[in-house]
């Protein structure tokens, strides 16, 4: 474990700035302020909370260039992708500001008695958010947006490699008029996170991160009887049954896989391709991989790829590729680890033995893993042969053929003829070892809520 929060530029591996962990007094102060602020914040009309949240969303967009530069320096995100992320974050928070009152209105229940009954949706109190580095703004927005409007208060523990983005979000909250204690960034250690989860003032915890982190936080939440939302890893199937343009299909699959340098939970980590187009599809991927050019976040070029989030992440991915080859896989192209920084060249790998240990691991980086199948049923069986269950997609010129498979995918988000259905209005989340709970859309406002029965006898 690191000893400090730090900005460590993955392009050079140079540590630029460090930040001390919060003290125990800082933790206690954050808990106290979140608890005190909840009483006042939750008592405000939702329209007031929504107005402040709307300003938060506007500031994400107004400061998109600054936010993009920070993300590039901290975790290597390409500038255009970081700008897009900041804009999307603003859209998410604006969505809840606009629709929050509708999503939380009382739900009347027909009753057989003489009284009237309804379900109220009320805030539950201070929450802990534990967020990752791969989307340093979007991940916070989808957790904070609905809960700020709902009336909960938030302590936010960000990833240890993106402290400047965490501070930039805190500044946005402050400048938008979010009251002190309603949103508090805290550079907490792992031990302090455990303390916060156990504290009686905290009513819930949301984590987006690794399977390992999720199992630890989920266990701690359960031990302390706290509501938890966990968005963990994925090994999403990307099934291509047929196409009239293999090159275009390969380009779409490749661009999807390379987004954020392959560091997305719901990326197309397993490409499952029908045998009659498999060879041409793989050949097209190999061309794209061979043409990839190493670049930096501020100097985007066609086919350019940036550094991974850290040297450690790049070395782990290279080790996974080595183990895949040792198990019998064919590394067709790429996978070269840079001598300096956190670069690994985009790779195409085939013939990973299904059922091997490495088959069940998540490749979190620019690796296109391709599998050949000979029937729709074989494609479905392979798609569901994973311990994860985040997303999945099926492509075919026959929409109903693709839909028939998609209806049987064991995942939280099934898509047809698109890499993913994405938008602030579309719920995000998985099943199996990809976690539980949903963010975004109406469901994103229905997690950390007291669904209180309100009954009045006539």
């Amino acid at each position: 474990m690191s000893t400090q929060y730090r900005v460590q530029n993955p392009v050079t591996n140079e540590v630029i700035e460090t930040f001390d962990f919060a003290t125990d007094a800082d933790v206690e102060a954050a808990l106290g302020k979140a608890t005190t602020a909840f009483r006042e914040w939750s008592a405000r009309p939702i329209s007031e909370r929504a107005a402040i949240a709307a300003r938060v969303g506007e500031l994400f967009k107004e400061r998109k260039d600054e936010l993009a530069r920070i993300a590039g320096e901290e975790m290597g995100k390409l500038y255009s992708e970081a700008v897009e992320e900041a804009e999307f974050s603003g859209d998410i928070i604006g969505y809840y500001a606009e629709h929050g009152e509708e999503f939380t209105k009382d739900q009347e229940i027909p009753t057989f008695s003489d009284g009237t009954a309804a379900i109220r949706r009320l805030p539950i109190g201070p929450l802990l958010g534990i967020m990752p580095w791969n989307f340093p703004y979007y991940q916070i927005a989808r957790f904070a947006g609905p809960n700020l409007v709902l009336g909960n208060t938030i302590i936010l523990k960000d990833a240890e490699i993106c402290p400047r983005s965490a501070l930039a979000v805190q500044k946005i909250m402050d400048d938008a008029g979010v009251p002190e204690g309603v949103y508090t960034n805290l550079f907490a250690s792992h031990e302090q996170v455990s303390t916060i989860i156990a504290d009686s003032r905290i009513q819930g915890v949301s984590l987006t991160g690794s399977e390992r982190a999720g199992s630890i936080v989920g266990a701690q939440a359960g031990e302390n009887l706290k509501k938890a939302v966990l968005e963990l890893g994925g090994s999403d199937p990307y099934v291509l049954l047929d196409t009239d343009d293999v090159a275009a299909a390969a380009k779409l699959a490749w661009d999807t896989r390379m987004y954020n340098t392959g560091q997305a939970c719901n990326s197309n980590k397993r490409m499952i391709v029908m045998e009659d187009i498999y060879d041409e599809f793989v050949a097209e991927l190999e061309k794209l991989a061979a043409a990839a050019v190493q670049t930096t976040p501020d100097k985007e070029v066609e086919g350019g790829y940036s550094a991974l989030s850290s040297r450690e992440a790049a070395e782990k991915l290279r080790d996974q590729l080595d183990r895949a080859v040792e198990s019998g896989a064919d590394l067709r192209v790429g996978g070269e680890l840079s001598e300096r920084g956190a670069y690994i060249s985009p790779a195409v790998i085939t013939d990973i033995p299904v059922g091997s240990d490495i088959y069940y691991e998540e490749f979190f980086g620019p690796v296109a893993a391709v599998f050949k199948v000979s029937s729709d049923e074989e494609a479905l069986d392979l798609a569901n042969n994973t311990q994860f269950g985040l997303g999945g997609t099926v492509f075919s010129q026959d929409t109903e053929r693709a839909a028939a498979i998609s209806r049987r995918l064991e995942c939280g988000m099934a898509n047809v003829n698109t890499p993913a259905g994405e938008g602030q209005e579309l719920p995000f989340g998985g099943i199996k070892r990809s976690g539980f709970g949903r963010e975004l859309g109406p469901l994103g406002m229905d997690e950390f809520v007291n669904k209180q029965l309100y009954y009045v006898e006539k």
Side-chain angles (χ1 to χ4, degrees), residues 321 324-325 329-333 347-352 363 367-370:
L321 290 171
V325 170
D330 182 4
L331 180 57
R332 305 274 189 124
V333 62
V348 177
I349 191 167
T350 61
D351 304 306
I352 297 175
F363 289 92
V367 175
V370 196

Side-chain angles (χ1 to χ4, degrees), residues 54-200:
R55 183 60 185 147
V56 172
E58 291 169 357
L59 287 177
F60 266 98
K61 294 182 178 183
E62 290 175 15
R63 299 179 184 179
K64 61 186 180 182
D65 294 320
E66 173 195 354
L67 297 177
R69 286 191 293 271
I70 293 171
E73 190 170 44
E74 286 186 325
M75 50 74 61
K77 190 184 294 284
L78 291 172
Y79 177 79
S80 65
E81 293 183 2
V83 166
E84 181 182 70
E85 180 187 343
E87 291 175 334
F88 189 25
S89 300
D91 287 340
I92 290 168
I93 296 174
Y95 170 80
Y96 287 107
E98 180 179 354
H99 297 284
E101 192 162 1
E102 170 195 345
F103 293 157
T104 56
K105 66 184 179 183
D106 290 355
Q107 177 186 342
E108 292 188 14
I109 301 175
T111 175
F112 301 113
S113 70
D114 292 333
T116 60
I119 298 297
R120 289 170 163 171
R121 283 174 165 78
L122 305 174
I124 61 173
L127 307 174
L128 172 64
I130 305 170
M131 296 295 117
W133 46 260
N134 58 331
F135 291 95
Y137 309 118
Y138 160 74
Q139 300 285 2
I140 292 176
R142 68 186 199 177
F143 168 60
N147 285 299
L148 289 176
V149 175
L150 182 63
N152 292 319
T153 55
I154 292 168
I155 295 174
L156 200 291
K157 187 269 181 214
D158 215 336
E160 289 161 24
I161 66 169
C162 51
R164 284 182 180 169
S165 57
L167 293 173
V169 172
Q170 180 71 68
K171 185 75 162 53
I172 285 174
M173 297 289 177
D174 295 343
D175 292 350
V178 175
E180 184 180 14
V182 172
Y183 181 95
T184 304
N185 176 73
L186 193 67
F187 290 154
S189 67
H190 294 177
E191 292 78 10
Q192 289 169 332
V193 165
S194 300
T195 298
I196 295 168
I197 294 172
D199 193 283
S200 62

